[in-house]
Amino acid sequence: MNRAVAVARMQLTNKWIYLWIPLIILVASTLISLAIFAMIPGDASNVISGSGQAVMWYFFALGIQAMTLLFPFSQALSVSRRAFYIGTIGLFSLVALALAVLYWVLGLVEQATDGWGMKGAIFAIPWIAEGAWYTQILFYFAVTILLFLLGFWSSTIYKRWRTVGLTAALVGAGAVLLGVIALITWREAWPSVGAWLVQLTPLSLAGWLLAAGALLALTSYATLRRAVP
């Protein structure tokens, strides 16, 4: 466990990548959205901005960097792959949870100030903000950690099978998705799929996202065990 904690501390060595850049993205995207809100005519209301997702998408890049930048270094220090995996996933799970709590708090501020005084929505997106506090935090956490694991998974594929393997994996994923779409179309099941999507709640969607994240985490570990530094 001490080795895993050491890996987590190594991941945080470059604070620009893991702390300051996400903060800059959060502040910049929020200010840009507020500027846009200010330019919208006064009679408009309930304007929703998607800029709140910016930091979450950066976690995809963090997943790639966490693997490609530090994994070779950790192997040079004789850190076991298990310790690297536990330390990295554990650290970014905590970071994703902290970001989820921050989003929930910013959503409360946004609601208390009537959308920053301009009836805008950046963090308190109606469908999500209508849920309980723990549901909102779980939803933001699920989205963030899934994007991180997607980046981490793609990096482990690259480290194991390089460009050809990653390309084959992406083409295979696209083929599977196309096959699912074709099957739904062939069975004329789009109305059922639409009804299932409509009845999803933030809590149930978070559960599906976490299930997908768990699958990515398991396959990432299996691949990491044979990855080349």
Side-chain angles (χ1 to χ4, degrees), residues 11-160:
Q11 290 281 10
L12 291 173
T13 301
N14 192 338
K15 291 183 172 53
W16 266 104
I17 293 178
Y18 300 110
L19 293 178
W20 296 120
I21 290 180
L23 183 60
I24 290 172
I25 293 174
L26 177 65
V27 173
S29 60
T30 301
L31 290 177
I32 290 172
S33 291
L34 294 179
I36 294 173
F37 291 160
M39 290 186 285
I40 295 176
D43 55 350
S45 61
N46 301 322
V47 182
I48 298 176
S49 170
S51 67
Q53 306 169 15
V55 180
M56 294 181 179
W57 281 105
Y58 181 66
F59 268 70
F60 175 75
L62 282 181
I64 296 175
Q65 295 178 79
M67 177 66 188
T68 57
L69 295 183
L70 201 68
F71 178 62
F73 182 64
S74 69
Q75 296 307 289
L77 296 177
S78 300
V79 175
S80 71
R81 293 165 191 242
R82 181 173 177 271
F84 175 82
Y85 178 82
I86 294 175
T88 301
I89 299 299
L91 169 66
F92 284 99
S93 294
L94 291 176
V95 176
L97 180 60
L99 181 68
V101 173
L102 177 62
Y103 267 57
W104 170 65
V105 171
L106 290 173
L108 292 179
V109 174
E110 189 171 276
Q111 290 175 317
T113 58
D114 193 22
W116 312 102
M118 293 174 280
K119 298 181 179 179
I122 302 174
F123 303 101
I125 304 301
W127 182 69
I128 304 169
E130 292 168 358
W133 64 270
Y134 56 84
T135 300
Q136 297 178 49
I137 292 175
L138 183 64
F139 179 82
Y140 294 134
F141 171 78
V143 174
T144 305
I145 198 63
L146 177 64
L147 288 171
F148 173 81
L149 289 169
L150 189 59
F152 190 80
W153 171 83
S154 61
S155 295
T156 57
I157 296 292
Y158 175 78
K159 283 292 185 181
R160 177 65 181 87

